[in-house]
Amino acid sequence: MKFRFTPKSSPVRLATIALVTAAFGLAFAQTPAPAPSPAAPAPAITEIPPAPVPAGKAWVIMDYTTGQVLAGENYNERLEPASITKVMTSYVVAAEIANGKVKRDDPVMMSERAWREGGAATDGSYSGFPVNQTAPLEAMEKGMAVQSGNDAAIALAEHVAGSEEAFASLMNAYAERLGMKDSHFVNAHGLSAPEHYSTAYDLALLGRAMIRDYPETYAYNKIKEFKVGAMNPQPNRNLLLWRDPSVDGIKTGHHSGAGYCLMSSAQRGDQRLIAVVMGSTSEKQRASDSLALLNWGFRFYETHRLYDVGTAIATQRVWKGKSKQVQLGVATPLLVSVPRDRYDALKPAMEVPKQLVAPITKGQALGMVKVTLDGKVVAEAPLVAVDAVEEGGFFRRLWDAFWMWWDSD
């Protein structure tokens, strides 16, 4: 890929480009065309078929690396997330562990409230930890992730924040930090409650953050069964763990108000996708639809790393500096998800001010790089200075000031 510059080019540069273009045109004109191959392969199909539409209220499939939505419907509609809520609970607990507030080996009490509101006497799923007894925090987390234990979720919330209500405030604070603009939590388990809602898109963002920020905790979601005390082992409700070895999480959810929900993630090679299905009609349906979405995404899309941090992707003229040029790069890796076999159709362009003036600090934002496909922006990032450019001496500044004036409109 070659850059297209938005600032005006100088007459000398335009003349040079014209000469080079003419030379290449002459060279191609004098080269005889190769004979067509008698067995030439059919051209690749570039048009992507529509994604399989799941049964239910809302769905989305997202590329993990870029956060790009590949397809979806109603994915910004606020719905009850059911037990997918527990992914938010897991994220908060993992964040508090990382911040040194709690530890994985902390003894966590199964309080009477946690047992009464989320235990065996309720209609929801439970882990079975004995009431008024403690268990290691890590075991409670597995009981919540694998068994979808409502009792374990409440116990963890009480341990981390003192009460489930205080923990819900933490959930909302972390959700805001993650950019989950259409989510609000009032409990740690996901049973139906007024003002407890999220969206398919927000939940995909949450799953992406969970995988990226706390992979050790995320790994609990691929455990196929978990046993508490003398109880029989309880299986993970994510049927995809048995159907496809590339699936390694993440969480199911169900109650009468939410229907059947599933957030799933799979990795094949270097590519990872996240699918969220909400309000499906059955346990089997949500699994089948989610796998169909993942298969579609892997079949028709691929992820590319366009530019790395610290690598110069362009050079721009600098005025009044010790150096006459500055190298431009990106502050974070620039990645993009595109239809397979369309990488060569990407068109990057750079937008920078016509005149850059020293001093320039390392990492200073100086413009934008935008990558388009078929005229649509598919990735963009700030352009920053790879290295600093110090201010030049008096005569350099005076000389450049004259030429800047001369070159101005």
Side-chain angles (χ1 to χ4, degrees):
M1 292 183 293
K2 296 184 178 180
F3 274 112
R4 169 174 57 82
F5 290 86
T6 55
K8 296 189 300 182
S9 299
S10 67
V12 174
R13 182 183 298 175
L14 291 175
T16 303
I17 292 173
L19 288 173
V20 172
T21 303
F24 272 107
L26 181 61
F28 284 128
Q30 294 175 344
T31 303
S37 171
I45 297 175
T46 57
E47 185 175 347
I48 295 178
V53 178
K57 298 177 181 178
W59 59 275
V60 71
I61 181 164
M62 177 182 287
D63 181 83
Y64 162 77
T65 305
T66 64
Q68 201 171 317
V69 171
L70 305 184
E73 288 185 354
N74 304 321
Y75 53 81
N76 286 318
E77 181 180 347
R78 294 178 176 180
L79 300 169
E80 294 188 79
S83 282
I84 298 182
T85 297
K86 295 183 176 92
V87 180
M88 188 77 246
T89 302
S90 292
Y91 188 91
V92 174
V93 173
E96 295 298 284
I97 291 173
N99 292 331
K101 304 295 180 62
V102 293
K103 298 179 181 178
R104 293 190 186 277
D105 59 357
D106 278 357
V108 176
M109 174 65 69
M110 178 57 67
S111 69
E112 288 193 19
R113 176 184 175 180
W115 175 79
R116 184 174 62 253
E117 297 183 8
T122 67
D123 292 331
S125 52
Y126 66 96
S127 59
F129 290 100
V131 63
N132 291 325
Q133 295 185 31
T134 63
L137 183 146
E138 185 173 9
M140 283 279 186
E141 281 193 291
K142 292 177 180 178
M144 179 178 66
V146 181
Q147 302 169 318
S148 198
N150 296 326
D151 51 352
I154 299 172
L156 286 165
E158 292 176 338
H159 179 78
V160 169
S163 70
E164 189 176 16
E165 292 76 14
F167 186 82
S169 295
L170 281 179
M171 296 171 75
N172 290 320
Y174 278 105
E176 183 178 3
R177 185 180 300 179
L178 295 176
M180 299 171 64
K181 298 179 181 180
D182 291 298
S183 298
H184 187 263
F185 302 97
V186 299
N187 61 53
H189 43 70
L191 292 176
S192 187
E195 296 303 305
H196 187 93
Y197 56 81
S198 188
T199 67
Y201 178 77
D202 279 3
L203 293 175
L205 286 182
L206 173 61
R208 184 176 181 232
M210 190 78 205
I211 297 165
R212 178 193 66 222
D213 299 341
Y214 305 112
E216 183 177 352
T217 300
Y218 171 73
Y220 298 156
N221 295 280
K222 69 179 179 182
I223 299 173
K224 290 185 176 181
E225 63 178 24
F226 188 68
K227 185 177 184 296
V228 174
M231 293 178 59
N232 291 327
Q234 293 190 53
N236 194 314
R237 291 166 173 78
N238 184 356
L239 300 181
L240 297 188
L241 296 176
W242 284 267
R243 294 186 185 180
D244 190 314
S246 69
V247 175
D248 55 11
I250 180 171
K251 190 73 189 72
T252 62
H254 170 257
H255 61 64
S256 59
Y260 290 85
C261 307
L262 175 60
M263 179 200 296
S264 56
S265 183
Q267 182 165 353
R268 300 178 187 175
D270 294 331
Q271 188 178 15
R272 177 181 286 279
L273 300 177
I274 299 169
V276 178
V277 173
M278 303 183 74
S280 187
T281 55
S282 71
E283 185 176 17
K284 290 184 178 179
Q285 189 68 49
R286 71 185 177 190
S288 297
D289 287 344
S290 296
L291 187 57
L293 283 176
L294 292 170
N295 285 335
W296 175 86
F298 283 118
R299 167 61 183 84
F300 293 107
Y301 281 86
E302 58 189 359
T303 304
H304 289 277
R305 179 182 293 263
L306 301 182
Y307 308 116
D308 282 314
V309 177
T311 300
I313 61 177
T315 301
Q316 192 72 0
R317 175 73 162 91
V318 175
W319 301 93
K320 301 184 180 182
K322 286 186 176 181
S323 173
K324 293 184 178 181
Q325 293 181 329
V326 62
Q327 292 184 325
L328 303 179
V330 289
T332 57
L334 183 59
L335 305 107
V336 64
S337 298
V338 295
R340 291 193 179 274
D341 303 319
R342 296 300 310 281
Y343 175 77
D344 290 339
L346 292 174
K347 296 181 179 179
M350 195 171 69
E351 297 178 356
V352 294
K354 180 180 178 181
Q355 295 179 339
L356 298 178
V357 181
I360 294 173
T361 59
K362 182 178 181 179
Q364 180 178 336
L366 298 173
M368 292 288 295
V369 56
K370 295 184 178 182
V371 182
T372 61
L373 180 65
D374 299 331
K376 180 182 177 181
V377 176
V378 294
E380 59 183 341
L383 279 169
V384 300
V386 175
D387 296 302
V389 178
E390 296 180 8
E391 190 177 52
F394 173 77
F395 290 106
R396 167 62 66 187
R397 300 198 306 272
L398 184 64
W399 183 253
D400 281 1
F402 168 77
W403 284 109
M404 288 175 68
W405 168 80
W406 183 267
D407 193 51
S408 63
D409 292 332

